Amino acid sequence: MSEADKYDAIVIGAGPAGAACAYTLGKAGKEVLVIERANTPGAKNVTGGRLYTYALEMIDEGLSENAVLERKVTHEQIMMLSGNRAISIDYFDPAFNNEGSPPQSYTILRARFDEWFAGKAEEMGAMVVCGIKVDDLIEKDGKIVGVIAGEDEMYADVVVAADGVNSFMAQKAGLIEDIPAHSVGIGVKEVIELSSKIIEDRFNLKENEGAARMILGCTEGIHGGGFLYTNKDSISLGAVFMPEEIAKHGKSVHEIFQELKMHPAIYPLLEGGQTVEYGAHLVSEDGYRGIPHKLYREGLLVVGDAAGFVINTGSSIRGIDLAMLSGLAAAKAIIAATDTSKVGPAYLKELENVKLLPTMKSVEGYKDVLDIPRLYTNYPNLAGDVFAQLFMVDGQVPPSMKKAIKSLIKKNGLSMLQLLKDGLKGVKAV
Amino acid sequence: MAGIYVYSDKKEFVPELISLAVAAGKPAFVITYSQETAREIIGYGAEKIYVLKGESVLAENYAKATAEFLQSEAADLFVVGATPRGRDIAARVAGYLDCAMVSDITTIKCTGEVIETERSIYGGAVVQTEILDGFSVVTIPAGKFEATAFRATSGSTDEIETISVKADTRVSVVSRVPISKDGVNLKDAEKVVCIGLGMDKEEDIQMARELARIIGAEIACTRGIAEENHWLPVSSVIGISGAVIKAKLYLGMGVSGQIQHVYGIREAKIIVAVDSNKNAPIFKAADYGIVGDMYEIVPLLTAALK
Amino acid sequence: MSKIVVCYKWVVDEADIRIDVSSVDTTKARRKISDYDRNAIEAGVQAASSVNGKAVGLTFGTSAARQSIKDALSRGLEEGFYVNAEEAATADGTVTAKALAAAVNKINDVKMVICAEGASDTFARQTAPRIGAILDWPVITSVCKMEFSGNKLTAVRKMDDCQETVTAELPLVVAVLPEINAAPIPGLRAVMAAGKKTVTEFKSEELKIDFAPKARITGLKGYVMSRKNIVFDEGDAGEKVSQLVTALKKEGVL
């Protein structure tokens, strides 16, 4: 293609959404250019985290087999911390990991995975350029017709904004305004290196098996939570916090996170390890309600985190798979459309087809549950107290459980009524 | 004749190179391209001072002739003072003779036929040890060896032997403009006050100058201050690409302590750091430190020392 | 068309190296084109336009160095040459210069070889003069400015005690200081164009040189500064200052 021609699509960002879109377009023989601002794809991206393989399989069957992934998750865990105490639930399910089909999810490391995935897009014919920042969009007659990077202009029928949370491109296109502080959380994360043998011993895993853990009660009452994922020879440990509450709190995110690392139930898992990476990133917290009203305008589609496609149900956080689905949907819309004015509506239709919008709508209510402030101190403390009571044997005559629990509820600043209200809210929301 | 041959384009450097050879237990020979220089370095313990005389005023044009000479003399080792000119000549000799060369060595050990050297790489973070095979070339920065002044009565012009050689003529000198040294000689300074990029504005250097005046110190800076901000001349830079100091006291303010800078202060007796960031690497490199606002600390320090 | 060959090195990013007293781990480190080589590449591109020639890149490295070529080509070089040899992993200054000189001999119509004064990892400053000696071409080092007039180069050298202006006729070898010019960051189109430029690969056997290093590395260890690390953090500023003064007086440095 000569310089005077234009690309079928220019994708801004080589993360999972951008790469999925470019892969699908390339596979269909379309000319696509991906522009990534980091020196390598993934270098500026942060995840907990894990990837649900169904998304890779939807992009192309068999893709998960050669993907650069860490451990297949066989242990789903929830942990509640209260003071020095910890309550853990470990759900072990061999069915998450059937012979014959890919395991349901894998823990991943973004630098490795993103680079691999962008490489696959290149194999499909996409041109991926790194280390270049797109500064602005080119508009003509009310349509987006290209991008500007430094002194260079590049034209395309469709521009796909896959530039992540707080998308500059979507803002430049007038589709979103700057994100309000309560719509995002600040996530911090460390990757701590440990030998695979030690990880397997400490988490009771077989080779290649992994654990994924959500942690509640580790944020000093701030709306947020922690996570832990086992990679091949490292552990990803992190926490997400609501920025407005941190500001009021007094301690910094960094300090609270360091205290999580030192918790007696967490520290032994990390002991002897070496922190090799420290990262922080914004993450969308509003779920379905945080999706921009307009996901497109003529000549531009918004995908992935840029479109707020992240859901948090407390027990699972999903962004990468949704990002990939949206990239796939965008690509399909571009491939099928005969006219740039039809691409946008086709994209919305594809988002329904790949079940992305229905999925997000169905868990919309979880935000109401997660907004209950008691979830972050009172309830974990109550749980801790109840279990302490349950397991206490001190030679005294045990009190009646009913009486004990009633008094513990009171002790933790709660009432039966409040519990009922919160419970009802929870039931209604899900 | 076998032995250690030394060269420096700075004649004051030559005596310590001779000492290196003598310390290694081998006969020392000096190579120079100027009759004048030869006369000024007799009596320092060299067996012979060879003047390779040719038509060019550019020392580098004698590289090939030097290589041929060393080969004909079956020299063991060629030690060159590490200056821009010295390094150039040394590397060309190594190229002509297809031999090992180690640049800017920090230590050298000659045991029998084996030569072992140490030098810093990765900006000064890592020390690399190497063993050299056969005739080799090394360059060594000034000040590593004490020059033992032999100045014995037996020093005489008999040490000097002049040999006619053909100099390369392909590169000619058009002009030479001496660089005016602002009189700042950090290498010999007893005390140094150093400013880093933690300083807000150029006018604040005055605060550092006050302190320096009170304690009798020279002013120095990190590379960024000279090359990015242009607040001080490049000759004031301490670091791997600048001066290496041996001062009794180094005090850095607003210096973060990047490894390339720390390389230049390692040999100071006492290192003091004042910086607002308690995690700055300089504190790991310092004997004493104060974590605080230098704009508060430094004036107090100056006042306390008046 | 006459060529200006710019030699560049694919080095470990020193920020990523894990160092402790007894060991140095570069296995997890990213690689980059040596910082000062970027300035040299730009100098080569500018020189090529002065002499109506073509600036090309040359590197000597293991198969890992292949990644460097696109980066180098995005900086204005028109063609890439790559000596792909596993021996590069143990090469010393002798071998590197021989390999590069042998490659230069295989490239047609080379009028000039440009290297940076030193590489950002080892900063040994040997490559250009060595190459010059092997090719028996004139060599000019520490260059901070170049001007061409026909077949003649006038170069300004920044020495430690003077600024020296010299002239010589091409072909020759030049070592440039980073101050010779800035290294502009490649734009989008330059990066895109890099993928389409020709790359010629030389295998070690083709060069017919002896790859045995003359200097063997026998140890690498982290330089450890063992200092007192006493930090005064008790009391207000005045108290900290007086504690420092007391300590320094005791050390006898004040």
Side-chain angles (χ1 to χ4, degrees):
Chain A
M1 169 176 15
S2 80
E3 286 192 4
D5 290 356
K6 55 180 154 71
Y7 281 92
D8 294 315
I10 292 178
V11 178
I12 305 173
C21 185
Y23 181 98
T24 311
L25 287 171
K27 192 165 165 217
K30 295 287 179 187
E31 294 283 348
V32 52
L33 169 67
V34 182
I35 308 178
E36 164 59 50
R37 68 185 171 128
N39 285 330
T40 49
K44 290 202 192 274
N45 299 344
V46 179
T47 195
R50 85 158 104 195
L51 169 70
Y52 290 97
T53 53
Y54 81 89
L56 271 176
E57 294 299 305
M58 274 185 80
I59 307 285
D60 214 348
E61 211 178 301
L63 211 47
S64 353
E65 230 183 283
N66 294 318
V68 174
L69 305 164
E70 299 297 307
R71 291 175 179 268
K72 57 191 176 212
V73 177
T74 49
H75 288 258
E76 300 277 3
Q77 302 175 339
I78 298 177
M79 184 185 230
M80 258 193 282
L81 301 180
S82 161
N84 273 350
R85 308 172 297 188
I87 303 162
S88 304
I89 301 177
D90 180 354
Y91 175 69
F92 170 66
D93 187 353
F96 276 170
N97 186 16
N98 266 334
E99 290 303 311
S101 59
Q104 174 167 280
S105 69
Y106 277 84
T107 53
I108 62 168
L109 289 170
R110 291 299 291 273
R112 297 178 191 175
F113 177 79
D114 285 18
E115 205 174 351
W116 167 83
F117 198 26
K120 292 309 270 178
E122 278 182 301
E123 274 175 39
M124 285 296 147
M127 163 158 268
V128 178
V129 164
C130 293
I132 302 280
K133 183 165 157 283
V134 172
D135 298 309
D136 212 340
L137 300 167
I138 305 175
E139 206 175 320
K140 196 166 162 224
D141 303 326
K143 301 185 221 172
I144 302 295
V145 296
V147 301
I148 300 179
E151 291 180 4
D152 295 316
E153 290 177 355
M154 224 57 214
Y155 293 88
D157 286 332
V158 183
V159 173
V160 178
D163 57 325
V165 65
N166 205 14
S167 160
F168 285 130
M169 293 299 118
Q171 285 176 48
K172 295 241 181 225
L175 296 178
I176 65 174
E177 319 228 309
D178 208 2
I179 302 183
H182 57 76
S183 296
V184 289
I186 293 182
V188 295
K189 167 193 174 181
E190 276 186 35
V191 174
I192 298 156
E193 222 174 51
L194 273 170
S195 79
S196 46
K197 178 129 196 345
I198 291 183
I199 293 177
E200 283 149 24
D201 283 343
R202 289 185 186 169
F203 289 86
N204 195 16
L205 305 166
K206 292 215 195 36
E207 201 185 333
N208 292 327
E209 283 187 350
R213 179 182 303 194
M214 305 301 298
I215 307 170
L216 195 53
C218 59
T219 50
E220 301 221 350
I222 296 173
H223 181 147
F227 56 81
L228 188 156
Y229 295 92
T230 55
N231 308 306
K232 282 205 178 106
D233 42 27
S234 62
I235 290 179
S236 295
L237 176 72
V240 181
F241 303 82
M242 282 315 219
E244 289 176 327
E245 290 182 39
I246 300 169
K248 293 187 221 146
H249 187 89
K251 275 201 193 144
S252 71
V253 154
H254 179 77
E255 282 171 275
I256 302 177
F257 178 60
Q258 292 308 312
E259 281 168 37
L260 167 61
K261 280 172 77 178
M262 299 309 295
H263 190 283
I266 297 284
Y267 182 71
L269 300 172
L270 315 172
E271 199 170 358
Q274 198 193 8
T275 301
V276 292
E277 224 183 271
Y278 186 87
H281 212 273
L282 295 178
V283 58
S284 301
E285 286 284 317
D286 274 354
Y288 187 76
R289 296 176 200 155
I291 300 176
H293 291 131
K294 296 235 76 188
L295 286 169
Y296 68 88
R297 54 179 283 198
E298 192 165 355
L300 180 89
L301 299 177
V302 184
V303 300
D305 265 13
F309 293 147
V310 177
I311 54 186
N312 179 2
T313 61
S315 56
S316 76
I317 298 185
R318 294 163 56 182
I320 301 177
D321 59 320
L322 300 181
M324 288 184 184
L325 291 190
S326 67
L328 173 65
K332 281 177 157 180
I334 294 169
I335 292 165
T338 48
D339 187 285
T340 53
S341 62
K342 300 203 165 75
V343 177
Y347 173 49
L348 287 188
K349 221 155 141 248
E350 289 296 341
L351 286 175
E352 294 279 333
N353 288 346
V354 298
K355 306 200 187 72
L356 188 152
L357 288 177
T359 302
M360 288 192 71
K361 183 125 186 48
S362 81
V363 298
E364 181 190 349
Y366 277 84
K367 179 145 169 68
D368 296 324
V369 175
L370 294 175
D371 273 347
I372 299 172
R374 289 166 290 285
L375 223 48
Y376 305 103
T377 25
N378 315 73
Y379 288 134
N381 286 337
L382 175 62
D385 288 343
V386 168
F387 274 82
Q389 185 69 56
L390 204 57
F391 290 110
M392 167 145 57
V393 176
D394 57 2
Q396 303 293 331
V397 174
S400 98
M401 247 350 249
K402 214 167 71 182
K403 253 201 184 144
I405 292 185
K406 260 199 175 135
S407 91
L408 286 175
I409 290 176
K410 209 157 152 214
K411 171 185 174 233
N412 278 294
L414 299 161
S415 66
M416 280 310 293
L417 188 58
Q418 185 70 73
L419 260 91
L420 261 166
K421 271 177 157 175
D422 286 341
L424 270 170
K425 201 174 189 188
V427 165
K428 217 170 82 173
V430 310
Chain B
M1 176 182 156
I4 296 182
Y5 288 70
V6 309
Y7 166 78
S8 176
D9 64 310
K10 304 270 183 305
K11 59 176 191 278
E12 51 279 13
F13 210 150
V14 178
E16 55 187 274
L17 299 178
I18 298 176
S19 307
L20 189 163
V22 169
K26 298 245 167 120
F29 301 91
V30 175
I31 292 181
T32 175
Y33 311 122
S34 137
Q35 204 81 41
E36 236 180 271
T37 306
R39 279 193 280 269
E40 298 188 38
I41 48 182
I42 51 181
Y44 278 98
E47 296 263 334
K48 267 240 167 330
I49 299 171
Y50 290 109
V51 179
L52 301 185
K53 194 157 164 3
E55 290 295 304
S56 178
V57 299
L58 185 59
E60 288 90 323
N61 279 334
Y62 292 86
K64 191 171 188 186
T66 306
E68 287 165 353
F69 177 69
L70 289 167
Q71 194 167 53
S72 67
E73 293 293 307
D76 292 319
L77 178 67
F78 186 35
V79 178
V80 178
T83 61
R85 224 178 277 286
R87 291 186 189 104
D88 183 331
I89 294 173
R92 284 197 237 189
V93 167
Y96 281 118
L97 298 179
D98 192 18
C99 68
M101 172 170 161
V102 188
S103 315
D104 294 76
I105 57 174
T106 48
T107 69
I108 179 166
K109 245 192 329 224
C110 306
T111 18
E113 295 302 310
V114 177
I115 304 172
E116 192 185 84
T117 58
E118 272 188 348
R119 69 182 299 256
S120 288
I121 58 171
Y122 296 129
V126 172
V127 175
Q128 176 170 284
T129 322
E130 292 167 87
I131 290 194
L132 313 182
D133 182 20
F135 168 80
S136 308
V137 178
V138 297
T139 67
I140 183 164
K144 291 278 170 211
F145 268 83
E146 287 302 321
T148 37
F150 270 63
R151 283 292 178 191
T153 47
S154 54
S156 84
T157 46
D158 287 345
E159 280 174 46
I160 302 177
E161 191 179 312
T162 305
I163 301 178
S164 268
V165 297
K166 224 178 78 145
D168 199 331
T169 50
R170 295 173 296 178
V171 181
S172 353
V173 180
V174 170
S175 67
R176 258 185 207 144
V177 177
I179 293 178
S180 57
K181 286 270 156 121
D182 338 59
V184 177
N185 187 358
L186 291 172
K187 294 195 209 250
D188 296 329
E190 253 208 7
K191 302 193 191 101
V192 174
V193 169
C194 182
I195 63 167
L197 290 172
M199 184 164 274
D200 290 333
K201 32 188 213 311
E202 192 172 353
E203 296 77 66
D204 298 338
I205 300 182
Q206 194 46 41
M207 179 174 78
R209 290 201 201 278
E210 259 303 289
L211 176 61
R213 193 178 61 85
I214 298 290
I215 63 174
E218 297 285 352
I219 291 281
C221 65
T222 58
R223 201 171 115 122
I225 294 282
E227 298 202 6
E228 286 162 32
N229 297 12
H230 305 289
W231 291 354
L232 288 173
V234 170
S235 54
S236 301
V237 174
I238 291 178
I240 201 164
S241 61
V244 171
I245 64 169
K246 292 206 249 315
K248 273 192 340 195
L249 173 65
Y250 162 95
L251 191 146
M253 57 178 83
V255 173
S256 64
Q258 280 197 316
I259 196 133
Q260 290 88 345
H261 174 70
V262 168
Y263 179 85
I265 66 176
R266 277 181 192 165
E267 295 179 46
K269 175 161 178 255
I270 292 290
I271 296 176
V272 178
V274 176
D275 196 57
S276 53
N277 177 8
K278 69 171 190 270
N279 290 322
I282 190 80
F283 290 111
K284 292 251 163 59
D287 294 292
Y288 299 101
I290 293 183
V291 177
D293 178 2
M294 68 167 142
Y295 291 100
E296 206 192 343
I297 305 288
V298 174
L300 284 172
L301 187 56
T302 308
L305 295 171
K306 278 212 172 96
Chain C
M1 197 188 240
S2 61
K3 294 197 186 67
I4 298 198
V5 176
V6 184
C7 299
Y8 73 87
K9 189 177 179 192
W10 186 235
V11 302
V12 161
D13 190 340
E14 62 275 4
D16 288 348
I17 308 176
R18 314 249 209 108
I19 302 173
D20 65 44
V21 174
S22 53
S23 67
V24 176
D25 182 7
T26 57
T27 52
K28 301 255 167 65
R30 275 169 295 202
R31 311 254 153 179
K32 57 178 178 173
I33 292 183
S34 164
D35 303 340
Y36 313 123
D37 288 350
R38 297 179 203 166
N39 303 78
I41 290 174
E42 176 63 17
V45 169
Q46 288 186 22
S49 105
S50 295
V51 304
N52 277 329
K54 199 161 121 157
V56 304
L58 169 63
T59 193
F60 168 56
T62 61
S63 48
R66 178 169 282 117
Q67 301 169 52
S68 68
I69 301 177
K70 249 180 151 178
D71 184 351
L73 293 175
S74 72
R75 294 170 185 276
L77 297 168
E78 291 187 44
E79 241 186 277
F81 291 90
Y82 167 35
V83 177
N84 180 358
E86 288 316 302
E87 294 92 334
T90 50
D92 64 351
T94 320
V95 173
T96 303
K98 276 195 291 207
L100 291 171
V104 166
N105 279 331
K106 282 180 123 34
I107 300 172
N108 291 332
D109 210 10
V110 178
K111 278 282 148 62
M112 193 166 161
V113 176
I114 300 182
C115 303
E117 249 313 301
S120 58
D121 56 348
T122 53
F123 210 63
R125 302 171 79 159
Q126 296 177 21
T127 311
R130 276 197 191 249
I131 291 177
I134 296 169
L135 297 175
D136 202 18
W137 284 6
V139 177
I140 308 177
T141 61
S142 298
V143 173
C144 61
K145 189 150 172 261
M146 293 195 289
E147 240 166 56
F148 295 88
S149 169
N151 205 39
K152 198 167 90 159
L153 165 66
T154 302
V156 178
R157 304 176 68 199
K158 190 167 150 194
M159 311 303 278
D160 50 353
D161 56 356
C162 67
Q163 247 198 10
E164 187 173 272
T165 306
V166 299
T167 57
E169 301 262 321
L170 271 49
L172 44 74
V173 179
V174 166
V176 297
L177 295 168
E179 25 275 62
I180 189 158
N181 47 236
I185 299 177
L188 173 60
R189 285 191 186 264
V191 176
M192 287 169 68
K196 302 197 179 88
K197 295 177 179 172
T198 321
V199 178
T200 310
E201 203 172 295
F202 297 120
K203 297 254 172 351
S204 18
E205 311 84 73
E206 289 177 64
L207 300 183
K208 304 208 186 332
I209 61 165
D210 179 6
F211 281 93
K214 297 274 162 79
R216 246 188 332 115
I217 297 176
T218 53
L220 284 177
K221 56 183 202 271
Y223 181 90
V224 175
M225 291 229 5
S226 50
R227 293 275 173 171
K228 299 190 169 92
N229 298 148
I230 296 175
V231 177
F232 300 111
D233 56 3
E234 301 252 315
D236 65 22
E239 281 158 6
K240 293 186 210 176
V241 166
S242 73
Q243 284 172 58
L244 174 63
V245 172
T246 311
L248 293 181
K249 289 204 165 128
K250 208 152 154 239
E251 292 280 1
V253 294
L254 276 180

